[in-house]
Amino acid sequence: MSAQSKKSMSWTIVLMLFGVAALFGGAKWLPVLIPGALFVWYGVAAPMLRSGRN
């Protein structure tokens, strides 16, 4: 596996853990988890969004 694949896989697992925490934590955790998930997603997707590839 390439380094980029490992990084992507690890952040995918982090996002899945956020989802599980949202299921078990309920509505009171959503104000914390949603911004955290958006921050993680943007951090992972930003290099892909800036590239010139289709």
Side-chain angles (χ1 to χ4, degrees):
M1 284 177 86
S2 69
Q4 184 64 28
S5 295
K6 289 179 184 178
K7 181 180 176 184
S8 178
M9 182 71 76
S10 64
W11 286 118
T12 300
I13 292 170
V14 168
L15 288 174
M16 289 170 39
L17 289 174
F18 278 180
V20 171
L23 284 173
F24 288 110
K28 64 182 177 179
W29 280 96
L30 290 179
V32 175
L33 293 172
I34 291 174
L38 289 173
F39 181 73
V40 168
W41 178 84
Y42 183 74
V44 172
M48 187 173 36
L49 295 173
R50 284 182 277 195
S51 71
R53 295 184 177 179
N54 289 333

